[in-house]
Amino acid sequence: QSVSSPSLDIVAIGNAIVDILSPCDDAFIDAQGMTKGSMQLMFSPAEADALYAKMGPGTEASGGSAANTVAGIAALGGKCGFIGQVASDQLGQVFAHDIRATGVHFDTPARNGEPTTARCLIFVTPDGQRTMNTFLGASQFLPAHALDRDLIANAAILYLEGYLWDPEEPRAAMRAAIDIARSAGRKVAFTLSDIFCIGRHGGDFRALIGDGLIDILFANENELLALAETDDFDAAVATIAAKVPTLVVTRSEKGA
């Protein structure tokens, strides 16, 4: 089939999150029962509000894994779009403003009512370590009908984050997005995001890869081992590299 040349380099689908960063000391982390340097989920707006009330003065910065990625690519001169769900509230307006200000195309309609826009309360200790507490809120309710089909079809690469595979509605939306991209002759990139995503959805991820639906796969060393179900790094690379045209594995101080 003849494929029109794409008007965008990348369109990403991911969690639309506003990060709120605040300095604290180690004693506060211990007092709140947090594990320093980790990310944990908060499951109710009340829980998020209670922790926010204990937080010192904070700085707000829009975030989310895939959103950060396209903001970075836009800063390097790439033409990008983002699809993600915010609520019609103040944090939703902050997120929309911030991502558009980086030059990224964003027009997913805001969602009315509860829950609120996703937020991540990040406590930064004097050593620079970040301890994150995330309330996913509205970002978990991205419906397939909110996908901008033309935006996806007009991007050279569709970039998906594993974090968003967890809730049911966005998972269905991402499957639909893969179909749109492949029908338009585009490439699909996927980042595994976190080892807990593989623990819960490894079967799905292996099926996507086995069916040849992923062109570019991003993983860190631990995620790759979990995906390949082995503790032998070279064997894991050989197994997964045979199934995707491009595999990128990050290895901390060893590079990628």
Side-chain angles (χ1 to χ4, degrees):
Q1 76 202 50
S2 66
V3 177
S4 62
S5 60
S7 56
L8 288 175
D9 298 305
I10 296 169
V11 63
I13 303 180
N15 283 318
I17 301 178
V18 177
D19 294 337
I20 303 169
L21 299 101
S22 180
C24 74
D25 55 20
D26 287 335
F28 179 85
I29 300 288
D30 293 340
Q32 299 306 316
M34 299 175 198
T35 303
K36 186 174 168 178
S38 71
M39 192 282 280
Q40 63 183 14
L41 291 175
M42 298 180 290
F43 294 102
S44 73
E47 188 182 355
D49 288 344
L51 185 58
Y52 185 47
K54 295 174 187 170
M55 211 174 187
T59 305
E60 291 172 2
S62 295
S65 167
N68 284 338
T69 299
V70 286
I73 293 164
L76 296 170
K79 288 195 286 188
C80 301
F82 180 74
I83 297 170
Q85 189 66 66
V86 296
S88 53
D89 56 16
Q90 188 181 0
L91 287 182
Q93 291 171 355
V94 167
F95 181 89
H97 167 269
D98 286 354
I99 197 159
R100 288 172 186 146
T102 67
V104 173
H105 179 94
F106 173 68
D107 63 1
T108 309
R111 185 176 185 273
N112 291 320
E114 293 292 329
T116 58
T117 295
R119 64 193 119 147
C120 181
L121 306 182
I122 303 175
F123 296 90
V124 185
T125 38
D127 59 2
Q129 185 65 265
R130 303 177 312 161
T131 302
M132 300 185 282
N133 300 268
T134 306
F135 175 61
L136 289 170
S139 69
Q140 301 178 90
F141 296 95
L142 176 74
H145 67 71
L147 296 176
D148 184 332
R149 301 182 71 90
D150 290 340
L151 192 70
I152 295 167
N154 283 314
I157 297 171
L158 170 67
Y159 177 77
L160 306 170
E161 62 169 87
Y163 281 127
L164 203 51
W165 203 263
D166 214 40
E168 194 173 334
E169 210 166 6
R171 191 183 322 146
M174 288 205 284
R175 286 193 184 279
I178 290 171
D179 291 342
I180 295 165
R182 298 209 76 89
S183 298
R186 309 308 188 195
K187 290 187 174 178
V188 176
F190 194 87
T191 177
L192 292 170
S193 294
D194 196 295
I195 200 157
F196 90 82
C197 297
I198 302 162
R200 292 165 64 93
H201 303 290
D204 274 357
F205 296 165
R206 291 179 200 105
L208 288 173
I209 292 163
D211 290 344
L213 297 177
I214 306 300
D215 300 289
I216 305 165
L217 182 68
F218 294 95
N220 66 24
E221 188 167 352
N222 289 335
E223 290 159 5
L224 186 79
L225 295 174
L227 185 71
E229 299 177 294
T230 177
D231 51 15
D232 180 330
F233 179 75
D234 293 327
V237 169
T239 299
I240 305 301
K243 298 175 182 175
V244 291
T246 304
L247 171 65
V248 180
V249 186
T250 57
R251 304 185 76 191
S252 300
E253 71 281 359
K254 297 174 192 167

